[in-house]
């Protein structure tokens, strides 16, 4: 029996993961943690009979320290997942990571810890799962480029002027993926893709100059890699997160899944476009924070978390999100090689600064 704890079990990834586990033999849920959806958590406890359950921020910290778990799936939203990730690495757990913010804010630090404790992260993010599958077993020297695909979100063809009038409802209508609210907003601003560039850089040790982002509206190719001989290997599948979740849990094996099969004839065509950076300042801000590195990505992320939260509460306009992030980044002087404490401090300070700006 492989024992799993799921951190963030009532969210979009958490519920999909429980569905995956219910169809897999040899897997048992040992721990569940949720932020505040107690009704759903109660139902999950009844169905899965976990040994340990935790609620809220402190609960999250405690559950990431359970020794019995073989696999820890980190599926919480935001940089709140960072401490859990660090705990799971130190306990040498197998980690299925669906929390990209922790790699965004502390990528260099996490890389060092992974090396020190000889732990491997298996990515759950669909793009990174695709890349992970494409490079599995290859010599890293053979890799010439990572090709990260992006659906482009609901506003791919909007003018900047049209973007100023979009509502929360418009933003939450993602064209190809059904996801949680925060990541759906991040996908509409395309900051999500910027985060994923940073995530890919740290997960696969690829320099930023070798990561290309391509708009692919059908979201059938989840990402790919180009090798030194010019050959491209990409991974395709339906837009169903149960696929990358299952792969992260059963890796290196593949097991039969309940995911519907992809009908290529029905898909018909696959298109690719360049990103128009002028319409997506958040994407550009993410790339610039990545290049500055140090504590700047932590500022980027914290400012975004606050701004997105306010946007979802209808307190600010959609285009105010990049403006707030930009202001927070301009105010900050990045510290090189930060420790975990430095990152957590910058994270909480930035939250306060951005709250005050609103
Ligand atoms: Mg993704």
């Amino acid at each position: 029996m492989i024992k799993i704890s799921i951190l963030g079990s009532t969210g979009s990834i958490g519920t999909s993961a429980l569905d995956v586990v219910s169809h897999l033999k040899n897997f048992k849920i040992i721990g569940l943690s949720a932020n505040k959806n107690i009704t759903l958590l109660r139902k999950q406890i009844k169905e899965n009979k976990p040994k340990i359950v935790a609620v809220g921020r402190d609960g999250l910290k405690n559950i990431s320290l359970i020794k019995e778990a073989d696999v820890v799936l980190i599926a919480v939203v935001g940089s709140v997942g960072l401490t859990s990730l660090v705990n799971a690495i130190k306990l040498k757990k197998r980690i299925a990571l669906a929390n990209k913010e922790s790699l965004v804010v502390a990528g260099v630090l996490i890389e060092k810890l992974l090396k020190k404790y000889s732990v491997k992260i298996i990515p759950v993010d669909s793009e990174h799962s695709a890349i992970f599958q494409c490079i599995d077993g290859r010599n890293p020297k053979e890799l010439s480029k990572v090709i990260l695909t992006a659906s482009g979100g609901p506003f791919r063809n909007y003018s900047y002027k049209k973007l100023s009038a979009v509502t929360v409802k418009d933003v939450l209508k993602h064209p190809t993926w059904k996801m949680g609210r925060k990541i759906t907003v991040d996908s509409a601003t395309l900051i999500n893709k910027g985060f994923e560039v940073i995530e890919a850089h740290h997960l696969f040790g690829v320099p930023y100059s070798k990561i290309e982002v391509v708009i692919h509206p059908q979201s059938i190719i989840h990402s790919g890699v180009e090798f030194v001989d010019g050959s491209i290997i990409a991974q395709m599948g339906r837009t169903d997160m149960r696929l990358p979740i299952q792969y992260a849990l059963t890796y290196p094996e593949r097991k039969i899944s309940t995911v519907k099969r992809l009908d290529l004839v029905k898909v018909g065509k696959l298109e690719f476009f360049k990103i128009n950076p002028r319409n997506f300042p958040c994407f550009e801000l993410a790339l610039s924070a990545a290049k500055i590195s140090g504590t700047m990505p932590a500022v980027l992320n914290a400012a975004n978390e606050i701004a997105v939260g306010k946007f979802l509460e209808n307190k600010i306009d959609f285009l105010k999100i990049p403006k707030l992030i930009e202001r927070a980044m301009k105010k900050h002087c990045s510290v090189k090689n930060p420790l975990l404490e430095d990152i957590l401090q910058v994270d909480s300070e930035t939250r306060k600064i951005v709250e005050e700006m609103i």
Side-chain angles (χ1 to χ4, degrees):
M1 268 303 178
I2 299 167
K3 297 180 213 107
I4 310 181
S5 10
I6 301 179
L7 279 52
S9 68
T10 56
S12 174
I13 296 287
T15 48
S16 296
L18 284 169
D19 182 61
V20 166
V21 172
S22 73
H23 292 101
L24 287 174
K25 284 174 202 144
N26 300 331
F27 280 84
K28 167 153 183 39
I29 301 291
I30 184 134
L32 292 176
S33 95
N35 188 20
K36 50 189 178 201
N37 190 343
I38 306 301
T39 318
L40 181 55
L41 183 62
R42 272 218 182 99
K43 193 171 159 259
Q44 293 179 342
I45 296 169
K46 232 183 179 175
E47 285 167 6
N48 298 283
K49 302 183 179 60
K51 202 172 160 190
I52 302 153
V53 177
V55 172
R57 228 170 219 262
D58 291 336
L60 183 64
K61 206 182 282 169
N62 296 334
I63 202 151
S64 62
L65 291 167
I66 359 173
K67 300 224 164 52
E68 290 103 313
D70 303 304
V71 183
V72 180
L73 169 63
I74 306 180
V76 297
V77 180
S79 59
V80 67
L82 176 58
T83 315
S84 312
L85 175 59
V86 171
N87 289 342
I89 296 172
K90 288 184 176 168
L91 287 172
K92 294 192 167 206
K93 297 296 175 197
R94 167 150 171 194
I95 301 162
L97 187 69
N99 173 265
K100 67 189 81 182
E101 291 92 342
S102 53
L103 275 179
V104 169
V105 304
V108 175
L109 193 96
I110 296 297
E111 274 189 60
K112 279 186 202 153
L113 285 174
L114 290 172
K115 215 177 250 170
K116 184 176 168 193
Y117 292 90
S118 336
V119 171
K120 201 170 177 172
I121 287 178
I122 320 286
V124 171
D125 208 348
S126 61
E127 293 80 357
H128 304 78
S129 172
I131 296 162
F132 184 78
Q133 293 178 54
C134 294
I135 61 173
D136 194 29
R138 306 303 319 182
N139 182 339
K141 284 188 187 144
E142 295 172 349
L143 187 69
S144 71
K145 187 164 80 179
V146 160
I147 303 163
L148 209 60
T149 53
S151 73
F155 311 133
R156 184 168 61 87
N157 295 319
Y158 276 40
S159 65
Y160 191 75
K161 198 173 160 232
K162 210 172 160 195
L163 283 175
S164 64
V166 303
T167 63
V168 172
K169 217 175 133 197
D170 300 329
V171 170
L172 293 181
K173 265 186 247 149
H174 193 274
T176 49
W177 287 97
K178 203 179 168 311
M179 305 173 287
R181 283 156 63 89
K182 194 248 173 189
I183 188 173
T184 306
V185 180
D186 287 349
S187 299
T189 63
L190 246 64
I191 202 168
N192 181 56
K193 211 44 64 177
F195 285 167
E196 289 183 351
V197 168
I198 302 175
E199 189 184 2
H201 166 77
H202 293 298
L203 279 175
F204 307 115
V206 189
Y208 286 116
S209 58
K210 289 185 172 179
I211 304 173
E212 185 188 356
V213 177
V214 179
I215 301 271
H216 167 45
Q218 290 82 15
S219 301
I220 295 297
I221 292 185
H222 295 314
S223 278
V225 295
E226 184 195 274
F227 290 101
V228 284
D229 60 358
S231 196
I232 291 178
I233 295 185
Q235 185 257 347
M236 295 196 269
R238 291 178 71 103
T239 49
D240 188 329
M241 282 309 291
R242 288 176 300 175
L243 206 52
I245 292 169
Q246 174 164 319
Y247 190 68
L249 297 180
T250 65
Y251 172 83
E253 288 176 43
R254 287 188 188 271
K255 303 273 185 198
I256 293 170
S257 84
T258 56
V259 172
K260 268 200 195 160
R261 304 297 132 141
L262 179 64
D263 183 335
L264 284 175
V265 174
K266 261 192 192 153
V267 171
K269 63 173 181 183
L270 301 176
E271 295 172 297
F272 305 94
F273 303 99
K274 251 184 144 161
I275 272 189
N276 174 4
R278 257 193 322 176
N279 279 1
F280 298 102
C282 283
F283 177 70
E284 295 287 291
L285 287 166
L287 297 189
S288 117
K291 274 162 205 158
I292 297 167
S293 79
T295 44
M296 196 56 92
V299 172
L300 168 88
N301 177 72
N304 182 60
E305 283 190 35
I306 296 298
V308 169
K310 295 291 175 192
F311 171 72
L312 285 169
E313 291 169 20
N314 282 306
K315 296 218 168 100
I316 60 166
D317 291 338
F318 183 66
L319 287 178
K320 186 87 185 183
I321 301 173
K323 285 186 185 133
L324 289 168
I325 298 170
E326 192 175 8
R327 273 175 69 192
M329 281 174 61
K330 273 196 178 142
K331 270 187 155 210
H332 183 70
C333 188
S334 181
V335 179
K336 290 268 164 244
N337 300 313
L339 301 170
L340 181 62
E341 296 77 44
D342 303 325
I343 293 166
L344 296 175
Q345 195 189 341
V346 166
D347 179 273
S348 76
E349 275 171 12
T350 305
R351 283 164 199 271
K352 272 184 219 135
I353 291 170
V354 178
E355 292 261 11
E356 277 162 20
M357 285 176 187
I358 296 167

